[in-house]
Amino acid sequence: FEFGKLTGDVSKYNKLKIKSETVKVVRKPSFTKDEWDRINERSRYRSSDERLWENRKDTTNRKKYKKQNQEFVNETVLNQRKLLHDFINFMVGSGCRTTEGMNLKWVDIEDNEIIEEKNGKFKKVQSVKLYVSGKGKKRKCDPQPYVKDVLERIKERQIQFSKKNKFKFKGKDKYVFSDEFGNKIDSFRKSFSNLLEDCGLLTDKFGAKRVIGSMRHTYGTFRKNFGEVDSYDLSVNMGTSVEMIE
């Protein structure tokens, strides 16, 4: 408009009034501590070896077990549930974006030692450092120490699968979240929604549907609300802005 006034295309006496709409802040759904405990407990139940039909003496009377609210599945489904269980714990323990978690390879993980404070005492704790990529960016991420155990469980299963299904598992360039044949998982969207429906937690109290990304927001909420870290350090570890955290 200033250029238009100089060229004479816009009258210098005309004033243009622009009224912008109020920016609506949409809070992305996450889980409370009690809700997350329910999900984790139910997921652990659904992914336990006891849910495998082959481990039941009576493998024919499925209707009886269904009435007792007991569910039994085949080995393929059980393997998928085990990987989902580890994935959601990885997400809540790392705060990674969904794409960052799905793109993670074993070569992107290195051992790390951190100092943890508890009751005024400091001690060294074994953990990992992640080098993740997503949204066209690469960054470092320091997850909670228990994520190391989650990753070790996944690797051990992959080694066993490689021997059983006869594929090479060298780690390094392999994706962390892969199926029993070494193929990268495309999405956990459907299986995660099924888990939430089973828990009665598919939507939050405002009616917003919860998705895989809710795990990342749960991580941020826990770290912030429990006073474990300030907004700046949290924003750096999550690869976002302080404004977004607040």
Side-chain angles (χ1 to χ4, degrees), residues 80 83-85 87 102 177 185-193 212:
Q80 292 170 350
L83 190 58
L84 172 66
H85 180 73
F87 181 73
M102 300 299 289
F177 296 101
I185 297 293
D186 292 326
S187 174
F188 286 103
R189 186 180 296 111
K190 184 176 180 180
S191 55
F192 182 64
S193 293
I212 283 286

Side-chain angles (χ1 to χ4, degrees), residues 136-151:
K137 299 179 181 179
K138 294 182 179 181
R139 65 184 185 87
K140 292 186 293 185
C141 173
D142 292 306
Q144 298 288 75
Y146 75 80
V147 167
K148 180 180 176 65
D149 297 329
V150 174
L151 294 172

